[in-house]
């Protein structure tokens, strides 16, 4: 597979227009009443070492000094969240996802193969399917799964149901999804960061999995090269869409507390870290001090780039965490 480039996936025009629409929708959403409490302890590790991290799109983000969780504080209400996912901005964004559909398929084909290492058939539920890139990858790989999906967006669900007649579609907040089915595989590709109640999310996933079922997810890694450099200017600080941004420590705590055992875990797509950092340098969006003068120059050398990419993967410091976890059944 060819190296991925940040600008292939996020074109400049898209980024500018999207930011304008983001400012517009979020300025409307923050006017809605929010009675959620300001949290003075961490929703993942319960530490009370909480501090202000940044304000983005008029939402405050806090950080936990113990586990490193970054979270929207207070969390947005479900009204704000529904307003966000069913906004014009989201349709516009989905159009851009559609435009880069083929490039994104390349990201998901290896993920199908990854699942097939552990499960080659059975019932698979994909949570947060959006425009269905993973569903399409499963079809192209002729994967032998009975497919269901769940997404909060009406528009996305309507299109998925039309495109894949055999797909069972739940247009729901996952935590409110009702089914008596039990699944062999539950996938959440870049969805964990969008869900307010991580504990309930893991609890729901646990309930819906068969005893030997696997839970497969990816989420941004805040303990990565791109995050450490970009810090509070990172493009993934995107409330009220992204409400929980994690690192390995947060994920370990979350899985252990909810009876999951990690069977494989790694980070992916270090080339995206590198192309994103290069974009920030070119646009003077980050301070050279944050990555050092050496890296400043060397990151443009293709040899160094290749080595750094391998290094980030080896050290699990690339920007996207992938985890395959197994349910530990109740004794
Ligand atoms: Zn914490």
């Amino acid at each position: 597979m060819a190296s991925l480039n940040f600008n292939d996936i996020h074109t400049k025009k898209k980024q500018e227009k999207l930011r304008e629409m983001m400012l517009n929708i979020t300025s409307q959403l923050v006017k809605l009443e929010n009675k959620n409490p300001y949290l003075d302890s961490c929703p993942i590790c319960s530490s009370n070492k909480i501090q202000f991290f940044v304000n983005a799109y008029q939402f405050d983000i806090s950080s936990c000094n113990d586990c490193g969780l970054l979270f929207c504080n207070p969390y947005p209400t479900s009204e704000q969240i529904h307003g966000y996912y069913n906004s014009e901005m989201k349709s516009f964004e989905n159009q851009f996802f559609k435009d880069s559909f083929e490039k994104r398929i390349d990201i998901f084909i290896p993920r199908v193969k990854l699942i097939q290492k552990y499960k080659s058939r059975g019932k698979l539920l994909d949570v947060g399917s959006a425009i269905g890139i993973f569903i399409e990858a499963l079809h192209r790989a002729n994967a032998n799964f009975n497919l269901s999906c769940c997404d909060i967006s009406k528009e996305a669900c309507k299109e998925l149901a039309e495109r894949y007649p055999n797909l069972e579609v739940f247009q729901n907040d996952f935590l409110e999804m009702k089914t008596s089915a039990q699944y062999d595989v539950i996938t959440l590709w870049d969805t964990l960061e969008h869900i307010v109640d991580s504990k309930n999310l893991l609890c729901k996933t646990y309930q819906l999995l068969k005893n030997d079922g696997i839970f497969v997810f990816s989420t941004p890694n805040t303990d990565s090269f791109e995050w450490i450099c970009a810090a509070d200017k990172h493009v993934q600080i995107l409330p009220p869409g992204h409400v929980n941004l994690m690192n390995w420590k947060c994920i370990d705590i979350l899985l252990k507390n909810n009876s999951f055992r990690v069977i494989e875990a790694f980070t992916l797509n270090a080339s995206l870290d590198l192309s994103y950092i290069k974009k920030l340098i070119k646009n003077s969006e980050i301070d050279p001090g944050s990555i050092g003068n050496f890296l400043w120059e060397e990151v443009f050398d293709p040899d160094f780039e290749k080595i750094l990419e391998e290094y980030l993967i080896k050290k699990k410091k690339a920007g996207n965490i992938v985890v395959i976890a197994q349910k530990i059944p109740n004794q």
Side-chain angles (χ1 to χ4, degrees), residues 152-167:
I152 196 171
S153 156
K154 277 183 199 151
E155 187 183 294
C157 286
K158 187 169 165 274
E159 288 180 21
L160 286 168
E162 283 167 6
R163 190 144 42 99
Y164 307 103
N166 296 326
L167 177 68

Side-chain angles (χ1 to χ4, degrees), residues 256-303:
K256 271 186 198 130
N257 288 348
N258 290 282
S259 303
F260 282 99
R261 173 174 74 83
V262 174
I263 48 179
E264 191 175 342
F266 53 91
T267 60
L268 265 183
N269 305 328
S271 61
L272 280 179
D273 284 60
L274 292 169
S275 59
Y276 177 58
I277 293 300
K278 287 193 286 190
K279 175 187 111 72
L280 293 180
I281 295 172
K282 279 180 188 160
N283 296 348
S284 307
E285 288 181 58
I286 49 173
D287 185 311
S290 70
I291 73 165
N293 290 329
F294 176 75
L295 214 45
W296 197 258
E297 305 220 340
E298 295 303 313
V299 80
F300 292 96
D301 180 321
D303 290 338

